[in-house]
Amino acid sequence: MKKNITIDLISDTVTKPTKQMLEAMISAKVGDDVFKMDPTVNELQEKAAKMFGMEDALFFPSGTMANQTAIKLHTQPGDKLICDKYAHVYNYEGGGAAFNSGVTCKLIDGNRGMFTAKQLEEAVAGRNDIHVPFSSLVCIENTTNKGGGACWSFSELEKLQKISKKNNLSFHLDGARLFNALVAKNENPKQNGALFDTISICLSKGLGAPVGSILLGSKVHIAKALRIRKLFGGAMRQVGFLAAAGIYALDNHVERLAEDHQKAQEIGTVLKSVPYVTKVETIETNIIIFYVDEKIGADNFINKMKEKNILLTPMGEGRIRIVTHLDYTNEMHEVLLKELKNF
Ligand SMILES: *Cc1c(COP(=O)(O)O)cnc(C)c1O
């Protein structure tokens, strides 16, 4: 391996399309998708809807826009969205929930981005009191990003769904890394399709497409989403070139996520064995969060690794994040493990 090659572990969004994916892209049949005349986009949407056993699906340029569209279609201005304090929709979408939909977020103090049915019940209590914002939507994230790739227990999700239904709340899943959860827990998309009103999935994270997310839901919800996507500026034209990357990713890059998870476990084992690491959070999928000795310091550690062309992310409060992905090769893995052991 060349000495100056960069090992980029900042996120699973850093991947570039493989040769085969690029070939699928350049040979795609395209048309004007605003007139629903792009056959490849239609194929991707039908494929995804079928995969999840949901009625319909819509292709989006980003996960943020797919989530923001879901929030918009489930709420009215002044309403309340209930989510974990770590939620991407609250922390990382630029205040979009407030800006686009005029909703406030009720944050639940969960564990690694996940909360319990009991906590949800407490958060919904007093829904009919006119003093408090009207609860209309519950958003959960699987896997949790800020929670270090943690996966929900399916039985807890079933309980949350029951509570949401009983209280007339819509139930949205931010599934940017849902396939990581499904692979790690050996679950299938249809189980999730049956539980949620809407689901967003990212094609550009672990699945390795350059762009794209999908929102899944009922025909009624997706018809509304189509209007909102236009309003948000997300209606695209000959976008089948990108949809082709998504189709290729769904066909070829789901099962291999297990390799990313395996590498994450091996990195975790090394981190737990070295004296300068004070804590490694539970690793369930492709995200590793750990802490180094205060005498070294997170920023300093990240800078030292950067000098070796190994890129990691600070996550605040002394936390350091590593994310494994499609472009993180076995060769890079050997180099990383060696550098971590020798630090
Ligand atoms: C990455 C991510 C998104 C969407 O991000 P985009 O960069 O807009 O595609 C949404 N939710 C979670 C949990 C994410 O990790």
Side-chain angles (χ1 to χ4, degrees):
M1 182 151 119
K2 280 194 284 159
K3 259 250 140 23
N4 59 359
I5 200 157
T6 299
I7 303 179
D8 192 343
L9 298 162
I10 282 178
S11 176
D12 43 10
T13 54
V14 301
T15 57
K16 306 210 170 78
T18 61
K19 191 162 169 287
Q20 294 90 322
M21 183 181 275
L22 281 171
E23 276 162 9
M25 291 169 75
I26 55 173
S27 55
K29 291 197 183 71
V30 299
D32 189 333
D33 184 51
V34 178
F35 296 105
K36 300 189 180 181
M37 277 168 25
D38 188 305
T40 310
V41 173
N42 293 339
E43 185 189 333
L44 171 66
Q45 291 172 169
E46 280 161 29
K47 184 185 181 69
K50 205 168 158 210
M51 197 174 201
F52 282 82
M54 294 178 94
E55 284 178 4
D56 213 348
L58 192 63
F59 189 46
F60 278 83
S62 72
T64 298
M65 198 191 281
N67 281 335
Q68 289 299 317
T69 296
I71 295 170
K72 184 82 187 156
L73 75 85
H74 291 303
T75 61
Q76 292 296 320
D79 284 357
K80 180 163 80 182
L81 171 175
I82 301 169
C83 62
D84 187 87
K85 66 179 187 294
Y86 276 0
H88 194 279
V89 292
Y90 171 72
N91 289 285
Y92 298 121
E93 298 188 8
F99 189 91
N100 297 316
S101 300
V103 298
T104 50
C105 294
K106 165 85 178 176
L107 303 181
I108 299 182
D109 187 13
N111 176 30
R112 304 181 73 220
M114 302 177 292
F115 48 86
T116 62
K118 188 160 169 283
Q119 284 180 301
L120 179 59
E121 263 175 344
E122 284 163 9
V124 212
R127 186 165 182 261
N128 294 326
D129 180 346
I130 59 162
H131 297 89
V132 300
F134 185 72
S135 302
S136 55
L137 173 63
V138 179
C139 285
I140 74 107
E141 200 173 303
N142 200 16
T143 68
T144 65
N145 179 341
K146 212 172 150 70
C151 307
W152 286 76
S153 112
F154 196 76
S155 63
E156 200 67 33
L157 291 177
E158 287 177 317
K159 287 184 203 157
L160 298 186
Q161 191 263 351
K162 284 209 182 79
I163 297 166
S164 302
K165 194 154 183 218
K166 196 175 78 191
N167 291 285
N168 265 325
L169 303 166
S170 298
F171 196 31
H172 173 69
L173 165 58
D174 175 355
R177 294 191 179 83
L178 180 59
F179 286 103
N180 292 89
L182 297 183
V183 167
K185 303 205 79 177
N186 205 11
E187 291 168 356
N188 68 65
K190 287 197 176 72
Q191 283 174 290
N192 286 272
L195 216 53
F196 292 94
D197 294 303
T198 48
I199 300 177
S200 64
I201 53 167
C202 274
L203 302 163
S204 59
K205 294 228 159 118
L207 299 190
V211 181
S213 281
I214 297 173
L215 184 68
L216 299 134
S218 67
K219 285 214 182 304
V220 171
H221 281 145
I222 297 302
K224 271 195 192 174
L226 185 66
R227 185 169 267 284
I228 296 164
R229 188 186 67 175
K230 182 68 185 162
L231 168 77
F232 285 174
M236 302 173 283
R237 302 291 178 179
Q238 285 72 23
V239 74
F241 294 117
L242 296 175
I247 293 170
Y248 185 87
L250 289 175
D251 285 338
N252 298 282
H253 290 167
V254 174
E255 269 142 49
R256 64 150 306 286
L257 290 170
E259 294 169 33
D260 299 343
H261 299 170
Q262 176 63 28
K263 286 196 179 97
Q265 288 297 338
E266 288 164 12
I267 294 167
T269 302
V270 170
L271 288 174
K272 280 177 208 152
S273 75
V274 293
Y276 63 85
V277 170
T278 50
K279 186 181 166 197
V280 184
E281 290 185 4
T282 309
I283 301 164
E284 293 186 61
T285 53
N286 67 327
I287 302 179
I288 301 137
I289 292 179
F290 65 100
Y291 301 73
V292 293
D293 201 305
E294 271 174 32
K295 283 188 225 98
I296 299 172
D299 290 339
N300 177 42
F301 181 80
I302 289 167
N303 286 335
K304 287 265 163 30
M305 292 304 272
K306 197 172 174 192
E307 285 164 19
K308 301 175 204 285
N309 288 319
I310 295 170
L311 309 183
L312 315 176
T313 331
M315 290 291 279
E317 299 157 22
R319 305 161 90 221
I320 303 171
R321 188 177 82 164
I322 291 178
V323 188
T324 59
H325 52 74
L326 185 59
D327 287 359
Y328 174 60
T329 62
N330 291 338
E331 215 179 359
M332 292 175 183
H333 190 50
E334 293 312 312
V335 174
L336 178 77
L337 295 184
K338 198 175 104 237
E339 293 293 354
L340 289 176
K341 280 179 198 153
N342 296 342
F343 186 83

